[in-house]
Amino acid sequence: MRIGKKVKEVTGKDLMTMDPNSMTIMRDFMQSSGTWYFKEDGDLNIAENPVIEEGCRIYKELMNSGVIKLTTGWGDMAAALNNGDVASIVSGCWIVPTITAQEDQSGLWEVTRMPRLNIEQGTNYGNRGGSNWLVLEHAKNSDIAADFLNEIYANDTEFYETILTEIGAIGAYIPAQSSEAYKEPVEYFSGEPIWANFAEWAKHVPPISVGVYSDEVDSTLVTQMANVLNDSTSIPDMLKTVEDLVKSQIQ
């Protein structure tokens, strides 16, 4: 935020975008600090969670900093990047094609590790998004489906090179990360080997257990955070309310 204020003073541009209808940045805070809305046993982990409390404090400070451009949805966010309205973005590696779509900004962007929360377990390594392939055990031809996934997605390094270079997707298949595609310098980012950097940073992302009701918590937190932003309640009290409301929804 201190950097953002200097940038705003000199250029008139905001630091980054934020969507007031989303809690994506809270997920970044938690993932990079090795915690989540839920514990490994499935119990809620919201009230009195020091990471979420600090995340809420930072969220409020960001919203009041004067260096945030409020956007709604993907289109607004991408436009802010491509139009040069903001100076940075905290996101997953898959945002790279969206940035490089603006060819006249080549050489103006760099990639680095994400900021960390100033708490004991805070790190500069996070994960945004991700997907899984699943095969239903009792589905027809499940053995064939599993074999297909194994051959195509668990043994084909060329596939991972393709999705890396074309859409900026880093797969979880570790052998693929030794391929030459990861080592290639990327001209748009001043010749930096950004894919090799992403792969190295990914090794340090703290493991978490996400549970099955994260979206419900996000929605409740978005609603209740308004009471923190207008100073009608404290962060600890708000998080206790969120936990109680979510508990009533999922039981």
Side-chain angles (χ1 to χ4, degrees):
M1 280 179 276
R2 288 195 297 270
I3 293 172
K5 290 175 181 178
K6 292 180 182 179
V7 170
K8 185 70 172 280
E9 181 180 347
V10 174
T11 69
K13 306 295 184 180
D14 288 314
L15 172 66
M16 55 188 271
T17 65
M18 282 180 62
D19 186 341
N21 300 310
S22 168
M23 271 295 134
T24 302
I25 194 169
M26 182 61 72
R27 293 189 174 205
D28 292 337
F29 295 152
M30 293 187 297
Q31 169 75 80
S32 63
S33 303
T35 191
W36 202 252
Y37 296 133
F38 299 91
K39 301 176 183 177
E40 287 190 15
D41 61 6
D43 287 345
L44 285 162
N45 189 31
I46 302 170
E48 299 183 3
N49 184 323
V51 173
I52 300 178
E53 285 193 9
E54 178 65 3
C56 289
R57 188 188 70 80
I58 295 295
Y59 181 94
K60 180 180 180 180
E61 192 173 345
L62 277 167
M63 282 297 201
N64 294 331
S65 66
V67 297
I68 296 298
K69 181 176 179 63
L70 297 180
T71 56
T72 302
W74 177 271
D76 270 2
M77 180 275 293
L81 285 178
N82 294 148
N83 294 337
D85 295 335
V86 292
S88 68
I89 184 170
V90 179
S91 190
C93 55
W94 41 262
I95 198 65
V96 168
T98 302
I99 294 173
T100 57
Q102 196 67 28
E103 296 180 1
D104 62 356
Q105 292 182 9
S106 179
L108 301 180
W109 284 88
E110 294 184 359
V111 179
T112 189
R113 298 173 300 162
M114 64 187 292
R116 68 177 181 88
L117 291 187
N118 189 26
I119 56 177
E120 183 178 354
Q121 64 263 52
T123 77
N124 298 100
Y125 309 99
N127 177 67
R128 175 78 72 88
S131 302
N132 296 291
W133 285 106
L134 302 175
V135 176
L136 299 178
E137 182 179 4
H138 299 294
K140 185 179 180 181
N141 299 322
S142 61
D143 290 344
I144 296 174
D147 182 66
F148 171 79
L149 293 177
N150 182 60
E151 288 300 319
I152 299 301
Y153 301 112
N155 288 289
D156 187 351
T157 58
E158 185 177 343
F159 166 77
Y160 287 100
E161 291 177 355
T162 300
I163 64 172
L164 175 76
T165 55
E166 292 189 5
I167 61 174
I170 293 181
Y173 185 48
I174 294 176
Q177 297 178 7
S178 300
S179 72
E180 291 301 313
Y182 277 83
K183 303 173 186 176
E184 285 292 321
V186 181
E187 182 180 353
Y188 193 97
F189 295 94
S190 303
E192 286 294 310
I194 64 170
W195 306 121
N197 291 342
F198 280 129
E200 175 60 32
W201 297 336
K203 299 175 184 177
H204 305 286
V205 177
I208 58 170
S209 179
V210 300
V212 295
Y213 295 105
S214 294
D215 288 344
E216 284 79 0
V217 181
D218 278 345
S219 298
T220 306
L221 190 54
V222 164
T223 302
Q224 296 300 315
M225 184 66 76
N227 296 322
V228 171
L229 295 178
N230 65 23
D231 294 319
S232 62
T233 189
S234 67
I235 290 173
D237 287 346
M238 182 273 290
L239 292 179
K240 179 64 168 61
T241 298
V242 168
E243 184 161 299
D244 290 343
L245 289 171
V246 173
K247 191 177 297 184
S248 68
Q249 290 181 54
I250 64 178
Q251 288 183 343

